Amino acid sequence: MESETKSEIIDATNRVLCEHGYAGLTIKKIADESSMTTAAIHYHFDTKAELLNAYLDDLVEQFKSNITSEATDPRDRLTALLDTVFTSSNPDADGFPVAIMELKSQAPFQEVFRERFLDLDNMMRGVITDIVADGIDEGHFNEIDPNEVARLVTTMINGAHARKVALGEPLDETRRVVEHTLALQLGWHPGSEVVA
Amino acid sequence: MESETKSEIIDATNRVLCEHGYAGLTIKKIADESSMTTAAIHYHFDTKAELLNAYLDDLVEQFKSNITSEATDPRDRLTALLDTVFTSSNPDADGFPVAIMELKSQAPFQEVFRERFLDLDNMMRGVITDIVADGIDEGHFNEIDPNEVARLVTTMINGAHARKVALGEPLDETRRVVEHTLALQLGWHPGSEVVA
């Protein structure tokens, strides 16, 4: 598939998901949101699950490039990562977290969704582990297991997402708690305020 | 409504939700799972949202009694709370977390769901805040803001729930990270191992 066609279908899928949710997603609506016919979309993706697999795959790639900053100092890389994950960056900001939550609810029944969420999780934990390990090597952070820090931060990000959807709570609330916890663990406050 | 009738409907709702999910929940299926007719259920609950409101209300009450232990020592109360929240206690263990995740996804569209999830969150944070405050007063825990600890633990519980559904990850994985983090914050390890 040409990457332009693919990215047009995926962009249209995102818009339909954000507006109508998982239950309301149809190939017809994706066609309406793009320049493609339903037949053309079906030609590229046999099933809705296959299309959503590609959508999630693209999301993992995008998210990876978003949380990987060009900075070299591990403290700046960590701050940039927190900026990205705790900011609603999707243009359809309200519908997007809900759609992702619905897809997570489907993961027990759709093996490909689960695989993509595992990819996302592994990627995110890998990026955080690398940052923390580099920060320790360079003497900026306390000696602590980088994998544990990555697991903590990632689980807090998952919690923040659920709280945004279920409670309508701004992501900032969780960011503040993550920063305090990191300050205690790393001996460095992501707000750049030195605490240890 | 007699409380027996109400609790029969709510128990049947739980079984249907765990087996068929939110999208598959119908008054007909609840009738099949109970000794009541659909007319009798409709008599008690005008809408599906009203029934689910009562279901969630009941869940908050149950959960509150589950996480409130008879112990008096704050360290035992905290350990009992972690035992409860990080153990799958619902008999239909597989379907239950998925159903709750689906209801969370609906919260932006169903104000009563959001209110019940806010009740659950406030209750849980209140219980944890009290335990931590008591533990500080009695000299078992480091001086730390109890509200911050409550927010951290509650967000980690939300994250653990999402990870169980989306990734199939056992709740224990998050419990371990929470214990390490609490050890650092409180100066007391929930596994009873003194670290500070």
Side-chain angles (χ1 to χ4, degrees):
Chain A
M1 191 185 331
E2 307 140 42
S3 75
E4 224 175 281
T5 305
K6 186 184 158 190
S7 81
E8 189 187 344
I9 298 176
I10 284 174
D11 287 351
T13 302
N14 185 54
R15 288 193 295 275
V16 175
L17 267 181
C18 291
E19 192 174 348
H20 303 281
Y22 174 71
L25 182 79
T26 60
I27 301 292
K28 171 75 172 62
K29 286 196 190 115
I30 298 170
D32 292 346
E33 278 287 339
S34 68
S35 71
M36 323 260 304
T37 61
T38 56
I41 297 169
H42 274 298
Y43 174 81
H44 292 301
F45 298 102
D46 272 346
T47 62
K48 192 167 139 174
E50 210 179 289
L51 171 59
L52 285 166
N53 184 30
Y55 169 74
L56 289 172
D57 202 33
D58 184 73
L59 207 69
V60 177
E61 285 308 308
Q62 262 189 51
F63 198 66
K64 184 174 183 176
S65 94
N66 287 344
I67 68 171
T68 313
S69 83
E70 285 173 13
T72 51
D73 188 311
R75 294 167 294 187
D76 297 335
R77 282 154 64 201
L78 189 52
T79 302
L81 183 138
L82 297 179
D83 285 344
T84 305
V85 297
F86 290 116
T87 307
S88 306
S89 58
N90 194 288
D92 303 279
D94 284 348
F96 180 71
V98 177
I100 295 301
M101 189 91 163
E102 290 181 308
L103 294 177
K104 284 184 176 177
S105 314
Q106 292 299 315
F109 315 110
Q110 297 276 6
E111 188 55 31
V112 289
F113 294 4
R114 169 151 294 167
E115 284 166 13
R116 295 297 77 74
F117 283 119
L118 283 166
D119 287 347
L120 180 65
D121 189 65
N122 285 327
M123 182 275 290
M124 193 146 59
R125 288 203 278 141
V127 170
I128 299 169
T129 300
D130 287 348
I131 293 174
V132 174
D134 289 350
I136 295 169
D137 281 352
E138 296 175 23
H140 303 303
F141 302 154
N142 292 340
E143 295 274 346
I144 187 166
D145 182 347
N147 291 298
E148 287 292 299
V149 177
R151 190 172 268 284
L152 173 81
V153 174
T154 309
T155 306
M156 289 295 281
I157 294 166
N158 301 147
H161 170 228
R163 297 177 70 80
K164 165 125 183 116
V165 175
L167 310 178
E169 181 179 275
L171 299 173
D172 283 356
E173 289 287 328
T174 301
R175 178 180 185 150
R176 202 174 37 81
V177 182
V178 170
E179 287 189 357
H180 287 174
T181 310
L182 285 176
L184 206 60
Q185 297 205 332
L186 303 178
W188 171 80
H189 196 291
S192 300
E193 168 199 337
V194 177
V195 295
Chain B
M1 191 186 328
E2 307 141 42
S3 76
E4 224 175 279
T5 305
K6 187 186 158 188
S7 82
E8 189 185 345
I9 299 176
I10 285 173
D11 288 353
T13 302
N14 185 55
R15 288 193 294 277
V16 175
L17 268 181
C18 291
E19 191 173 348
H20 303 281
Y22 174 73
L25 182 79
T26 60
I27 302 291
K28 172 73 172 64
K29 285 196 190 114
I30 297 169
D32 292 346
E33 277 287 339
S34 68
S35 68
M36 322 261 305
T37 62
T38 55
I41 298 168
H42 274 298
Y43 174 80
H44 292 301
F45 298 104
D46 272 348
T47 62
K48 191 166 140 175
E50 211 179 286
L51 171 59
L52 285 166
N53 184 31
Y55 170 76
L56 289 172
D57 203 33
D58 185 73
L59 207 69
V60 177
E61 285 309 307
Q62 264 187 51
F63 198 65
K64 184 175 182 175
S65 93
N66 287 346
I67 66 170
T68 313
S69 83
E70 286 172 13
T72 51
D73 188 312
R75 294 167 294 188
D76 296 335
R77 283 154 64 201
L78 189 53
T79 303
L81 183 137
L82 298 178
D83 285 344
T84 304
V85 297
F86 290 116
T87 307
S88 306
S89 59
N90 195 289
D92 303 278
D94 283 349
F96 181 71
V98 178
I100 296 299
M101 189 90 164
E102 288 180 311
L103 294 178
K104 284 183 176 177
S105 314
Q106 292 299 313
F109 316 110
Q110 298 275 5
E111 188 57 28
V112 290
F113 295 3
R114 170 152 294 167
E115 285 166 12
R116 295 297 78 74
F117 283 120
L118 283 165
D119 287 347
L120 180 65
D121 189 64
N122 284 328
M123 183 274 292
M124 194 146 59
R125 287 202 280 140
V127 170
I128 299 169
T129 300
D130 288 348
I131 294 174
V132 174
D134 289 349
I136 294 169
D137 281 351
E138 297 175 20
H140 303 303
F141 302 154
N142 291 340
E143 294 273 347
I144 188 167
D145 181 348
N147 291 298
E148 285 293 297
V149 178
R151 191 172 268 286
L152 173 81
V153 174
T154 309
T155 306
M156 289 297 280
I157 293 167
N158 301 146
H161 171 227
R163 298 177 69 80
K164 164 123 183 117
V165 175
L167 311 178
E169 182 179 276
L171 299 173
D172 284 356
E173 289 287 329
T174 301
R175 178 181 185 148
R176 202 172 39 78
V177 183
V178 170
E179 288 189 354
H180 287 173
T181 310
L182 285 177
L184 207 60
Q185 298 206 330
L186 304 178
W188 171 80
H189 196 292
S192 299
E193 170 200 337
V194 177
V195 294

